[in-house]
């Protein structure tokens, strides 16, 4: 996983090289200060050479100006490097989400997925920026500091460095609890985001049921769990910081005693001791920053683990290596002994399901809930993949053609219409993003919503609000129909497209759907049987698969499942 993390630096290696060169430069400036200090204390002050002292002071001022510039460069370009990596990761994660099968979204909460693309990746960006800078700065200062200090005293310096590095490594290993604590914290952060997303999106339902207090109680419980996760993380962090401070002060005492011993042994001058002390203080400084920032590192690594988990999610529905373009179709659909079940469920929704739909034919699927009507419709565009059997369009297996060309030939109108934040024109154009204004207007006219749109103050530029909150159910459905007209597919799937509408609106929408269905192969999933009287073929489904098949007139004459459904439907009117 570390190799994967490092690979994200590759596209930005020039910027990385620049940032690290700036880190090297300011580290060299820091390391030069004790050298000048020792020179002043040992040589210039005893000789009262004030002129040389002022020259050295001038050199130090110039170096400090450059030091500030180098720090600015690292701060600005380092953060831009982190943001660039975050951008790359977010784009790749979003691309991956576009490829994952629906079963991934069936078991993962929207808020959790959003967290992976936002706050998690921001933490990763902080890790990408600060992590490599601090490691390079500490490593450089350790190596160069050691090489300089052994010139003063090899044995004591080596001993102090062994103690220093041993304590530092010990601190690193002692912080493993932090990794676990912050990993759990990220999970709870995603959970509370998911709760917020669900509660905000369902605010109208909450108000309708007067469940505000119920929602507050649920959120309070989630909030308590979230705070508990923070408590565990900060307990681990507090312990680590306490050990960090002990480490720093211990090293200060060790260096002070070592320096004092060397001075009293006449192996050091006071200037040597002062330089020695400054050097170790400088070494302790970056290590202190490294340890203090370990919270950022742990959060960043926990975020990357979750990102890595997403990127390793298998793409179950994809093109075969030799997949070819389907091209324009007549719409001849054949289900050949299809078996399908959701997830790891042993029981299949469909078993040995066979059905032929001729070009231009309208086939309606009816039956009680849970018998697989929507499943049949979702298998045609490969929203899910079957376990056994095959599905053919114009003699082509849907598994042999590219997903893009397959879905290009299919229009899907659902009961739950998705309306995106934006204008009415943008939502209609979702059926064909490259469509002209004239084509959008023509599609709206065919869907019988053009006049309504023109009556609005801003016409086609009217904002629809989040999830189309500014539109009625019928208006949303007409926009979805306009999308399909704009796309102009040969195969049309109507998944209970009017079941959520009132009778008057349903009747008006049905006229638009009839226009849309003309000269197309149609699979209609019906809740209200009155909407599918004119279907060429009605397929009655039950737990055992297909129970009956025929036209409305044929099925109503037989004392079977369809007539019972029809009579029950009429009794409920």
């Amino acid at each position: 996983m570390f190799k994967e993390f490092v690979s994200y630096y590759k596209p930005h290696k020039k910027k990385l090289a620049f940032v690290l060169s700036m880190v090297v430069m300011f580290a060299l400036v820091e390391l030069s200060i004790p050298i000048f200090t020792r020179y002043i204390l040992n040589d210039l002050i005893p000789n009262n050479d004030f002129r040389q002292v002022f020259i050295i002071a001038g050199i130090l001022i110039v170096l400090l100006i450059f030091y500030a510039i180098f720090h600015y460069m690292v701060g600005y370009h380092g953060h831009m490097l982190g943001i660039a990596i975050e951008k790359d990761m977010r784009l790749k994660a979003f691309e991956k989400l576009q490829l994952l099968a629906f079963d991934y979204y069936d078991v993962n909460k929207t808020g959790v997925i959003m967290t992976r693309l936002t706050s998690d990746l921001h933490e990763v960006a902080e890790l990408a920026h600060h992590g490599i800078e601090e490691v390079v700065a500490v490593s450089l200062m350790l190596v160069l500091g050691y090489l300089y200090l052994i010139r003063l005293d090899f044995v004591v310096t080596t001993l102090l460095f062994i103690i220093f590095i041993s304590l530092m490594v010990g601190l690193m290993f002692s912080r493993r609890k932090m990794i676990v604590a912050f990993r759990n914290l990220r999970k709870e952060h995603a959970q509370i985001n998911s709760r917020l997303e669900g509660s905000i999106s369902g605010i109208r339902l909450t108000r309708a049921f007067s469940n505000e207090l119920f929602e507050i109680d649920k959120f309070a419980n989630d909030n308590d769990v979230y705070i508990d996760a923070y408590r565990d993380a900060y307990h681990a962090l507090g312990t680590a910081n306490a050990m960090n401070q002990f480490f720093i002060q211990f090293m200060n005492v060790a260096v002070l005693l070592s320096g004092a011993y060397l001075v009293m042994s006449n192996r050091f001058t006071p200037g040597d001791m002062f330089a020695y002390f400054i050097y170790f203080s400088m070494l302790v400084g970056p290590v202190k920053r490294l340890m203090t920032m370990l919270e950022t590192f742990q959060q960043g690594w926990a975020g990357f683990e979750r990102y890595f988990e997403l990127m390793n999610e298998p793409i179950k529905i994809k093109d075969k290596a030799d997949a070819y373009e389907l091209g324009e179709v007549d719409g001849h659909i054949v289900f050949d002994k299809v078996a399908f079940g959701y997830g790891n469920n042993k029981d299949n929704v469909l078993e040995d399901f066979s059905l032929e739909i001729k070009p231009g034919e309208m086939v309606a699927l009816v039956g009680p809930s849970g018998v697989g009507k929507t499943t049949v419709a979702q298998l045609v565009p490969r929203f899910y993949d079957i376990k056994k059997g095959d599905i053919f369009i114009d003699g082509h297996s849907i598994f042999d053609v590219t997903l893009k060309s397959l879905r290009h030939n299919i229009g899907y109108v659902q009961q739950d219409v998705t309306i995106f934040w934006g204008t009415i024109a943008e939502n209609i154009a979702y059926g064909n993003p490259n469509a002209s204004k004239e084509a959008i207007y023509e599609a709206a006219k065919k869907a019988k919503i053009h006049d309504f749109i023109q009556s609005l103050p801003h016409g086609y530029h009217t904002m629809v609000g989040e999830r189309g909150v500014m539109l009625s159910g019928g208006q949303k459905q007409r926009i979805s129909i306009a999308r399909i007209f704009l796309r102009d597919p040969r195969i049309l799937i109507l998944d209970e497209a009017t079941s959520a509408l009132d009778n008057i609106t349903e009747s008006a929408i049905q006229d638009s759907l009839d226009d849309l269905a003309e000269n197309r192969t149609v699979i209609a999933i019906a809740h209200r049987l009155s909407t599918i009287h004119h279907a060429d073929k009605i397929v009655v489904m039950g737990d055992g698969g297909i129970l009956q098949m025929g036209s409305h007139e044929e099925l109503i004459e037989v004392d079977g499942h369809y007539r019972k459904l029809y009579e029950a439907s009429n009794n409920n009117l």
Side-chain angles (χ1 to χ4, degrees), residues 92-106 108 113 116-117 309-318 382-384 403 407:
K92 288 187 177 182
F94 189 78
E95 290 173 350
K96 183 63 179 281
L97 289 172
Q98 302 306 305
L99 300 174
L100 292 175
F102 281 3
D103 57 4
Y104 175 81
Y105 297 94
D106 292 342
N108 286 280
I113 297 172
R116 292 188 175 185
L117 268 68
E309 178 185 324
L310 170 62
M311 296 307 293
N312 280 339
E313 193 72 31
I315 299 174
K316 299 177 181 178
I317 298 179
K318 57 185 177 180
R382 287 189 67 191
F383 290 161
Y384 297 90
L403 284 168
R407 293 170 182 171

Side-chain angles (χ1 to χ4, degrees), residues 79-314:
H79 278 102
M80 292 306 297
L81 171 65
I83 290 172
I85 292 174
E86 179 184 359
K87 174 188 171 184
D88 292 347
M89 288 183 172
R90 183 173 292 118
L91 181 58
K92 288 187 177 182
F94 189 78
E95 290 173 350
K96 183 63 179 281
L97 289 172
Q98 302 306 305
L99 300 174
L100 292 175
F102 281 3
D103 57 4
Y104 175 81
Y105 297 94
D106 292 342
V107 297
N108 286 280
K109 298 177 182 177
T110 301
V112 173
I113 297 172
M114 290 173 60
T115 300
R116 292 188 175 185
L117 268 68
T118 52
S119 57
D120 275 1
L121 288 186
H122 179 70
E123 299 292 353
V124 174
E126 289 295 299
L127 170 63
H129 161 38
H130 291 292
I132 194 165
E133 291 172 18
E134 297 297 343
V135 169
V136 169
V138 169
S139 300
L140 184 66
M141 296 187 77
L142 279 173
V143 172
L144 295 183
Y146 176 73
L147 293 175
Y148 178 76
L149 292 178
I150 58 174
R151 296 173 56 200
L152 302 180
D153 192 285
F154 176 81
V155 175
V156 174
T157 299
T158 301
L159 180 61
L160 285 173
F161 264 81
I162 290 173
I163 296 172
F164 182 87
I165 294 173
S166 298
L167 287 173
M168 189 172 68
V169 171
L171 279 176
M172 293 288 187
F173 278 103
S174 70
R175 296 186 176 221
R176 287 181 176 178
K177 289 184 179 180
M178 284 183 61
I179 298 176
V180 176
F182 278 101
R183 185 183 293 124
N184 183 55
L185 179 60
R186 301 311 303 168
K187 290 180 181 177
E188 294 304 330
H189 183 76
Q191 291 295 332
I192 202 168
N193 272 359
S194 181
R195 171 72 73 192
L196 277 170
E197 191 273 338
S199 182
I200 292 170
S201 63
I203 189 66
R204 285 170 175 78
L205 183 64
T206 299
R207 298 281 174 82
F209 283 89
S210 299
N211 275 345
E212 293 89 346
L213 292 178
F214 176 69
E215 284 294 318
I216 290 171
D217 286 342
K218 285 200 301 182
F219 185 77
N221 290 332
D222 289 340
N223 210 17
D224 287 340
V225 173
Y226 187 49
I227 294 303
D228 287 341
Y230 256 114
R231 184 180 294 110
D232 292 342
Y234 283 140
H235 173 72
L237 180 65
T239 302
N241 283 340
M243 294 180 66
N244 186 27
Q245 292 302 320
F246 172 80
F247 161 70
I248 292 169
Q249 298 307 324
F250 179 84
M251 285 308 304
N252 284 337
V253 171
V255 172
L256 181 63
L257 293 176
S258 299
Y261 166 75
L262 291 171
V263 170
M264 289 185 289
S265 301
N266 294 320
R267 292 159 61 183
F268 263 18
T269 65
D272 293 337
M273 177 182 173
F274 195 73
Y276 211 77
F277 193 81
I278 292 177
Y279 254 117
F280 266 98
S281 296
M282 285 184 168
L283 291 173
V284 168
V287 172
K288 182 179 179 181
R289 290 200 307 270
L290 200 63
M291 296 298 179
T292 302
M293 289 186 60
L294 207 57
E295 178 186 2
T296 300
F297 295 163
Q298 305 297 5
Q299 287 180 337
W301 193 251
F304 184 73
E305 285 178 336
R306 290 161 60 81
Y307 167 81
F308 189 73
E309 178 185 324
L310 170 62
M311 296 307 293
N312 280 339
E313 193 72 31

